[in-house]
Amino acid sequence: MWFYGSIIANENIKKYKDFLAALVNEEKEFKEDSFNEDWLNDDNWFIIDEHQNKKGIYLPAIHEDGEINWRYR
């Protein structure tokens, strides 16, 4: 099951901008070898809720408007 919401990102998201855009671009093939191997590792992705609980997720789909779609691991 997929979940969705709005992301409140910090300044660190800037370095992932091209990667995240490529993940949601349905017009171009995603080329894994173009990106940092660690970014493709699901163990490195998580969300933190309003109670500061951290939960692992699979690679998220984060759109430019701040919408995020994810699945829990």
Side-chain angles (χ1 to χ4, degrees):
M1 179 184 323
W2 284 88
F3 296 89
Y4 69 94
S6 296
I7 187 168
I8 301 169
N10 62 27
E11 289 294 313
N12 290 332
I13 202 165
K14 287 180 182 178
K15 68 181 173 184
Y16 302 104
K17 185 177 180 178
D18 292 337
F19 173 70
L20 296 171
L23 283 174
V24 298
N25 187 338
E26 296 179 6
E27 310 231 343
K28 291 186 179 179
E29 179 183 351
F30 181 79
K31 297 184 183 204
E32 291 184 13
D33 60 348
S34 298
F35 299 101
N36 184 318
E37 190 176 306
D38 288 336
W39 297 356
L40 298 166
N41 183 342
D42 286 326
D43 291 334
N44 294 328
W45 291 93
F46 57 89
I47 60 170
I48 299 174
D49 68 17
E50 67 273 6
H51 303 290
Q52 302 304 307
N53 297 316
K54 186 175 172 180
K55 181 84 172 160
I57 61 173
Y58 291 103
L59 280 175
I62 301 177
H63 302 269
E64 283 190 49
D65 65 0
E67 180 181 315
I68 180 174
N69 300 283
W70 74 90
R71 289 187 311 150
Y72 287 110
R73 284 190 278 119

